[in-house]
Amino acid sequence: MNEILLITLSGPDRPGITTAVTGILARHAGNVLDIGQAVIHATLSMGLLVELPAGHERAGLLAALEAFAEDSGLKLRSETVAPESYREWVEAQGRARYIITLLARKITAEQVSRVSAVFADHGLGIDGITRLSGRIPLGELPPLSKACAEFSVRGPLGDPEAFRRDLLELSSSLDVDLALQEDNMFRRHRRLVAFDMDSTLIEAEVIDELAREAGVGDEVSAITERAMRGELDFNESFRARVALLKGLPESALAGIGERLRITEGAEHLISTLRRLGYRTAILSGGFTYFARQLQERLGIDHVYANELDIRDGAVTGEVRGDIVDGRRKAELLREIAAREGIDLQQVIAVGDGANDLPMLSIAGLGVAFRAKPLVKQSAEQSISTLGLDAILYLLGISDRYLPGS
């Protein structure tokens, strides 16, 4: 009967180790059943699961491996794997695999310990851990630092909702984000990203900015907060807020547009998505005047928002056409995806308010960004600790692939 041997080596990394080890195994007619290799700070960790023919010179093989390991300053460990154990390992390949992405300004040992404990509590084993963020210097953290570790876990998840709930509670207590995705074919093959505008692509609610210019800031802010928390019907509250803007000079819009701040990471995210061939869209309950400005600045492909009615150089307090509310956002997302020939599973939707939930729910990846509690609890994924470009980590894109990183 053929022998199955598990070989592990660890120690200083240098070129040629893999070549030498597999060369020794080749001389003994070995077949590689599994192989894994990682390097952390110039230190190698390598494992091979090898099938060797019956009657092979075991003593000679191990002697050659030990001699190479000693000459290279490596630690060698080998053990025979029982056929029953190997069969169980093969049968486990059909189990679902999940990706959990940890996002923070820095990664601590406590975070990793407590996250991995949740995995163990739900019977999930860790297949691999990968750092996606760039290397962080010692000492004080640089401004807007980013840290990300991606965990690949496998196992029968008996209660997915309980698992999500435990991750959400842990993320709150540790001040990190934990995104859970099933590791399927769509995860790395998204093609369209749709963004809300206010408090998502920009760090403001434009209607509140307009209200301050019109001298009705407090009244409009109160209505806005209630609507974004889902306490008021969006259309009714929107018309009530716009009505308060009646008489605002058209010239005020330009000044507001100039001082709007783009959200952390938005420019980096969208420029990267464009290089990768993604299509992008703004689906906003805000106003086209400002959405068009963002479209020009960021290179957005599609824009749908509300048309503020202006006559004789002043805001009339009305909106032209249908209001872009939550239901309309979802409809528009479906229309854009169909027009572009993109499956909804390949769509990412990003927003912060209750009126974004319909489009978040139909997208393959719905992300609540710095969202209200109701939205954060309802969306499958949420990002609160980092900027918008953290979405690249959810796609499995490492900083080392990006220019300037």
Side-chain angles (χ1 to χ4, degrees):
M1 180 180 292
N2 291 358
E3 181 180 15
I4 301 172
L5 197 64
L6 176 62
I7 301 164
T8 58
L9 295 113
S10 61
D13 184 40
R14 65 173 177 79
I17 292 177
T18 304
T19 302
V21 172
T22 53
I24 293 170
L25 294 169
R27 291 194 290 275
H28 290 260
N31 296 320
V32 177
L33 302 174
D34 195 15
I35 185 170
Q37 179 173 315
V39 177
I40 299 179
H41 198 62
T43 300
L44 171 76
S45 179
M46 180 182 185
L48 299 102
L49 189 64
V50 184
E51 179 188 28
L52 296 160
H56 76 95
E57 297 181 10
R58 178 187 174 88
L61 168 63
L62 294 180
L65 289 171
E66 289 168 357
F68 170 75
E70 185 176 354
D71 290 343
S72 303
L74 300 171
K75 293 183 179 179
L76 171 73
R77 183 170 179 267
S78 64
E79 61 178 288
T80 300
V81 175
E84 299 80 17
S85 177
Y86 179 74
R87 280 194 294 270
E88 290 177 2
W89 177 75
V90 171
E91 291 170 359
Q93 69 183 335
R95 293 178 183 170
R97 186 192 300 269
Y98 302 92
I99 299 294
I100 292 86
T101 310
L102 188 157
L103 305 167
R105 293 298 179 184
K106 65 177 180 179
I107 294 176
T108 68
E110 181 188 9
Q111 292 165 2
V112 176
S113 174
R114 293 180 63 183
V115 169
S116 59
V118 172
F119 301 160
D121 289 344
H122 287 268
L124 299 173
I126 300 174
D127 282 350
I129 306 174
T130 305
R131 174 177 55 83
L132 298 182
S133 50
R135 299 173 181 177
I136 296 177
L138 292 175
E140 186 177 351
L141 289 175
L144 304 180
S145 65
K146 298 183 296 182
C148 173
E150 179 184 276
F151 298 81
S152 175
V153 302
R154 187 195 295 270
L157 191 54
D159 192 342
E161 287 306 311
F163 184 51
R164 284 187 182 277
R165 186 168 59 251
D166 288 349
L167 290 178
L168 183 61
E169 291 175 358
L170 185 59
S171 68
S172 297
S173 66
L174 292 176
D175 194 24
V176 302
D177 292 318
L178 293 167
L180 167 65
Q181 300 178 71
E182 188 171 350
D183 193 9
N184 57 35
M185 62 181 286
F186 293 110
R187 179 176 173 255
R188 297 178 188 269
H189 294 87
R190 313 290 186 187
R191 295 177 55 199
L192 169 66
V193 187
F195 299 93
D196 174 46
M197 181 174 67
D198 294 19
S199 297
T200 300
L201 279 178
I202 57 175
E203 295 181 346
E205 292 288 330
V206 169
I207 196 167
D208 290 344
E209 299 297 317
L210 292 169
R212 276 189 279 273
E213 288 286 335
V216 292
D218 291 343
E219 297 96 315
V220 168
S221 291
I223 299 173
T224 297
E225 281 301 312
R226 293 184 65 194
M228 297 302 283
R229 290 196 301 264
E231 297 175 3
L232 294 175
D233 172 75
F234 180 84
N235 286 13
E236 181 181 358
S237 65
F238 185 74
R239 292 190 186 279
R241 287 175 287 172
V242 173
L244 291 171
L245 303 178
K246 184 176 180 179
L248 178 68
E250 182 180 8
S251 58
L253 275 64
I256 291 172
E258 289 176 0
R259 66 175 183 256
L260 291 176
R261 293 179 56 186
I262 291 181
T263 299
E264 174 195 350
E267 291 175 290
H268 178 222
L269 169 63
I270 293 173
S271 64
T272 302
L273 293 174
R274 289 178 65 189
R275 289 200 302 272
L276 295 174
Y278 281 69
R279 305 292 285 174
T280 54
I282 292 175
L283 304 179
S284 173
F287 302 107
T288 54
Y289 180 92
F290 304 98
R292 295 294 182 195
Q293 289 183 334
L294 276 179
Q295 180 180 32
E296 183 175 348
R297 178 171 175 177
L298 299 176
I300 302 290
D301 296 302
H302 305 277
V303 167
Y304 293 91
N306 296 301
E307 191 70 35
L308 192 61
D309 187 49
I310 299 174
R311 297 177 193 170
D312 301 323
V315 173
T316 67
E318 298 180 356
V319 179
R320 297 178 185 172
D322 295 333
I323 291 175
V324 179
D325 58 4
R327 177 189 58 79
R328 183 62 179 147
K329 285 186 179 187
E331 289 176 353
L332 289 166
L333 188 60
R334 290 183 187 276
E335 290 174 12
I336 294 170
R339 193 158 64 244
E340 296 280 3
I342 296 172
D343 190 287
L344 281 173
Q345 284 296 316
Q346 296 176 282
V347 172
I348 302 171
V350 189
D352 73 297
N355 65 321
D356 295 311
L357 284 173
M359 74 171 181
L360 299 187
S361 67
I362 66 170
L365 178 62
V367 180
F369 179 73
R370 298 180 181 176
K372 313 301 183 288
L374 171 67
V375 182
K376 189 173 181 179
Q377 292 170 10
S378 301
E380 288 197 354
Q381 315 297 344
S382 66
I383 296 174
S384 299
T385 59
L386 301 183
L388 271 175
D389 52 352
I391 289 171
L392 296 172
Y393 295 141
L394 302 189
L395 302 178
I397 298 173
S398 169
D399 283 349
R400 65 178 178 270
Y401 297 141
L402 303 176
S405 297

